[in-house]
Amino acid sequence: MMNKKIKKALNNQVNAELYASYLYLSMCAWFEAKSLTGFASWMRVQVQEEMFHAIKIFDYINDRNGEVVLEALAKPDSGWDSPMAVIESALKHEQKVTAMINDLVNCALEERDHAANQFLQWYVAEQVEEEASFGAVYDRLKLVGDDSAGLFAIDLEMAKRVFVPPAP
Ligand code: OFO
């Protein structure tokens, strides 16, 4: 059993992960509209990753006899003015999610919920990877600057990403 505070915080994180999925779908749509199909495909994989993050918490809440209550999703941003602006906003979003996960861990520790703390450690490690993967794309875009040949080379590279469900 989980206490009310943890249950509410985890339900809130389900919404945050679904929102991340929705935001990255909006970014995927932006790249599709610009015919940057490699970036679009990379974002589509990220959408699946975020859905996986949400469902993992969904399952955990159910395993602990809690009830998942889904809330409305906020309208995601759109209309960025460059690929760099999209990736920068994604990276900032991941940093925000990292802070949310850290708050959740603090909450689990305050409530002495060791099972929730252990469960959340998966997300702590995952956020290191998430920030690194968006950060690497950001750095590459910075390197090529306004060079469109460089941008298309990155686009080709981005197309190679496939969704592999993260290890449990
Ligand atoms: Fe991108 O890690 Fe979940 O939200």
Side-chain angles (χ1 to χ4, degrees), residues 51-88:
M51 195 57 85
F52 180 94
H53 295 170
I55 291 182
K56 192 175 167 75
I57 303 172
F58 180 102
D59 288 342
Y60 178 79
I61 295 172
N62 284 312
D63 285 348
R64 302 265 330 259
N65 275 333
E67 188 189 353
V68 174
V69 180
L70 297 176
E71 300 289 345
L73 293 177
K75 184 180 190 303
D77 285 346
S78 58
W80 295 273
D81 55 17
S82 65
M84 182 73 160
V86 180
I87 298 298
E88 187 174 13

Side-chain angles (χ1 to χ4, degrees), residues 28-48:
C28 173
W30 189 91
F31 285 121
E32 289 284 4
K34 302 283 183 246
S35 295
L36 285 165
T37 52
F39 279 89
S41 158
W42 193 95
M43 273 301 171
R44 201 174 284 238
V45 172
Q46 192 61 35
V47 168
Q48 290 174 281

Side-chain angles (χ1 to χ4, degrees), residues 45 48-53 56 122 126 129 161-168:
V45 172
Q48 290 174 281
E49 285 243 347
E50 300 302 347
M51 195 57 85
F52 180 94
H53 295 170
K56 192 175 167 75
W122 185 91
E126 180 71 3
E129 271 184 41
R161 185 184 189 193
V162 287
F163 178 64
V164 180

Side-chain angles (χ1 to χ4, degrees), residues 17 20 24 46 50 53 94 97 127 130:
E17 300 295 343
Y24 297 145
Q46 192 61 35
E50 300 302 347
H53 295 170
E94 284 305 323
V97 172
Q127 279 312 117
E130 292 281 88

